[in-house]
Amino acid sequence: MRALLVLITAGMLVGAAQAEEDIVLGLNQSEVSISTNFNGSEIIIFGAVKRETPIPDGPELEVVVTVSGPSKPLVVRRKEKKFGIWVNVDAVEVDRAPSFYAVATSAPLREVLNRIEDLRYKISVPRAIRSVGAPMNIMNSAAFTEALIRIRRKENQYQLIEDGVTVDQQTLFRANVQLPAALIEGDYNTRIFLTRGGKVISQYETVIDVRKVGLERWLYNLSREQSLIYGLLSLAIAIAAGWAASAAFALLRR
């Protein structure tokens, strides 16, 4: 009974210690508008650590920030060159992959977060992608996920920004995340984690709303709600553009 009481008390003390540091967060913008001339946006995430006791002794406070776009399933295909042409030979379906994902840390990721915590909170880029299984004929299914990450990193859709969070006096923090031009609409979940010694001691979540506006919004709604009219309008614009180009070329030849 005494051992049990000791364990319970120890657990209560750990919980109390973790609750001593909470996050007070701010964003320079909680909404991003996608217009016809949209070429990306920078999100500034800043905040402070609220404490009711002095800064604990031991490992320094580290901060991890993640921004995740809407997730959806997709198929990753592998191509091989056969008889002089590239053909699809294998395919793996990824159950869920964020359209955009950024991780910013106050130090190298392996130093601020251990593998168990990464597995629990799904913070790193590979952990954010959910791929349950693959066909029996696929020998190395992990290579398909790695290929997806590699491609989206080249497109700046997946980002790992180590040392991208500035922490001042273990109390104030600030991170800049660059959103690329190729964004899709939806809620972009933003998570902030405080860690010590690789373990998460506190977390906070908020949402950045990304929406099309103006002509982009009108065309998007038209394509979804009135597909026939959208198709006819696209055809008319293509014909008009072709006629205008032809007329301009004829004038230049005179």
Side-chain angles (χ1 to χ4, degrees):
M1 178 63 72
R2 180 176 299 175
L4 179 59
L5 290 175
V6 170
L7 288 174
I8 293 175
T9 304
M12 292 174 63
L13 290 175
V14 170
Q18 291 180 347
E20 289 177 355
E21 297 179 287
D22 294 323
I23 301 169
V24 180
L25 182 70
L27 296 170
N28 70 321
Q29 58 185 104
S30 58
E31 297 181 357
V32 175
S33 299
I34 303 176
S35 59
T36 53
N37 60 350
F38 179 77
N39 60 356
S41 179
E42 184 179 55
I43 300 296
I44 301 175
I45 302 165
F46 56 93
V49 181
K50 182 177 68 175
R51 302 184 180 92
E52 297 181 357
T53 59
I55 297 175
D57 295 330
E60 287 195 1
L61 180 77
E62 304 289 355
V63 180
V64 181
V65 176
T66 71
V67 179
S68 177
S71 297
K72 61 180 181 179
L74 54 86
V75 176
V76 182
R77 304 183 188 276
R78 182 170 65 86
K79 293 185 176 182
E80 286 186 0
K81 197 171 186 180
K82 294 185 177 182
F83 307 107
I85 60 173
W86 290 95
V87 295
N88 295 323
V89 293
D90 292 319
V92 170
E93 182 175 352
V94 176
D95 301 271
R96 186 183 65 214
S99 57
F100 171 83
Y101 195 76
V103 183
T105 63
S106 56
L109 182 60
R110 65 179 181 276
E111 296 179 10
V112 304
L113 189 74
N114 63 43
R115 294 179 63 183
I116 296 176
E117 296 291 84
D118 187 18
L119 182 63
R120 177 183 300 172
Y121 294 99
K122 296 178 172 50
I123 293 174
S124 66
V125 175
R127 294 298 182 189
I129 299 172
R130 185 172 184 269
S131 183
V132 175
M136 295 296 294
N137 62 316
I138 304 297
M139 299 302 296
N140 186 13
S141 60
F144 288 78
T145 302
E146 293 169 1
L148 172 63
I149 295 172
R150 185 170 60 252
I151 292 170
R152 292 197 167 177
R153 276 181 174 165
K154 289 181 179 179
E155 297 172 347
N156 207 31
Q157 298 289 344
Y158 287 173
Q159 306 172 14
L160 174 58
I161 315 164
E162 294 183 313
D163 298 312
V165 181
T166 303
V167 182
D168 185 21
Q169 300 297 318
Q170 298 194 58
T171 301
L172 303 177
F173 62 87
R174 174 191 172 103
N176 293 28
V177 176
Q178 186 68 39
L179 301 179
L183 290 181
I184 68 171
E185 279 193 310
D187 293 336
Y188 282 62
N189 295 321
T190 302
R191 300 182 297 168
I192 296 87
F193 299 91
L194 303 182
T195 70
R196 286 188 183 276
K199 296 182 179 181
V200 175
I201 60 172
S202 184
Q203 65 172 319
Y204 183 92
E205 294 188 21
T206 187
V207 173
I208 299 172
D209 186 32
V210 176
R211 292 288 181 267
K212 292 181 173 68
V213 296
L215 181 61
E216 287 282 327
R217 161 58 58 186
W218 183 76
L219 290 174
Y220 178 83
N221 289 340
L222 187 65
S223 66
R224 296 296 187 273
E225 299 170 4
Q226 301 289 340
S227 57
L228 178 59
I229 296 177
Y230 178 80
L232 293 175
L233 180 61
S234 300
L235 181 61
I237 293 174
I239 293 173
W243 178 85
S246 177
F249 182 73
L251 287 174
L252 290 176
R253 294 189 60 183
R254 290 180 181 178

